[in-house]
Amino acid sequence: MVPKVGLRATLPSAILLLFALSGCSEQEPGLAAPQSSASQSTGTNTMPPSPPPSTAAASSSIDPCALLSEEDLADAGKFNSEYKEGGGARSCYWQQSAADGGEVFTFILSIRDAQGIDTVKDIGNGIEQTKVNQRPAVSTQDPKSGDCVLALQIGDSSRIDVTVLGEGDGLDGSCDIAEEIAGRFEAKLPAVS
């Protein structure tokens, strides 16, 4: 279980950063259509490469907002979720209700259908190999802000990221919170092949 204090501890500035980063683009996701029939007749492929079928099948059916329920988060308060697409991911932003007058806490679950855990970028404190309920995972943390990304393997070329914003005072407990959140939904993921 996650202590209420652990999930509720965050700074309003971290939340503002989250909304600033998530609001960078209002573009609709999709594929570009060919400009003319000439490009079609020459055999030029205008479609971006697709992930391998086994990877796509393992992760493409996962709805990041369906991985957690109100009951899963009940001990930490009431959360609202919002689905978004962008940056190569299908994401669910979970935000704790401020109805109780407390501080707002937000975390993000992002499904990456074409990126495995071996492609996680170091955000400042190295990449740490770990496991969540025996599922291979990696984590990285920003040493200044405390932001943490915990990536769990779905397939060889797919993963789910749990992103928790830190409190802006260096290495805090954000990776512990990310691991606790991941433990609550990991069993709903497809078995690692």
Side-chain angles (χ1 to χ4, degrees):
M1 293 208 166
V2 175
K4 287 185 181 183
V5 172
L7 279 180
R8 291 184 184 201
T10 188
L11 291 177
S13 61
I15 299 303
L16 291 175
L17 173 64
L18 171 68
F19 289 121
L21 292 175
S22 67
C24 292
S25 174
E26 292 297 324
Q27 295 178 348
E28 294 264 330
L31 301 176
Q35 296 280 330
S36 68
S37 59
S39 66
Q40 289 178 344
S41 64
T42 62
T44 303
N45 184 0
T46 59
M47 299 288 287
S50 298
S54 62
T55 299
S59 64
S60 64
S61 63
I62 300 171
D63 176 355
C65 291
L67 289 173
L68 292 169
S69 67
E70 285 185 27
E71 293 80 30
D72 293 330
L73 299 170
D75 63 330
K78 181 166 175 47
F79 282 78
N80 297 314
S81 62
E82 182 181 359
Y83 180 85
K84 295 182 182 184
E85 291 185 17
R90 293 175 287 111
S91 302
C92 189
Y93 290 71
W94 292 85
Q95 185 172 37
Q96 186 178 35
S97 172
D100 298 333
E103 292 188 34
V104 175
F105 171 73
T106 302
F107 65 91
I108 308 158
L109 302 181
S110 301
I111 306 287
R112 297 187 177 277
D113 297 316
Q115 296 173 329
I117 63 172
D118 57 332
T119 64
V120 172
K121 302 280 190 241
D122 179 358
I123 58 173
N125 204 37
I127 302 285
E128 182 180 323
Q129 301 287 326
T130 188
K131 289 190 176 191
V132 175
N133 299 338
Q134 302 307 310
R135 180 178 298 271
V138 299
S139 67
T140 184
Q141 189 170 25
D142 183 319
K144 293 179 183 164
S145 69
D147 296 354
C148 179
V149 176
L150 173 67
L152 287 73
Q153 181 177 349
I154 296 174
D156 289 339
S157 300
S158 60
R159 70 180 199 240
I160 180 168
D161 295 347
V162 180
T163 304
V164 175
L165 299 179
E167 295 185 15
D169 58 358
L171 300 175
D172 60 8
S174 59
C175 281
D176 294 333
I177 294 170
E179 193 168 327
E180 179 68 30
I181 292 167
R184 293 178 184 221
F185 68 77
E186 184 278 331
K188 297 177 185 176
L189 298 175
V192 176
S193 50

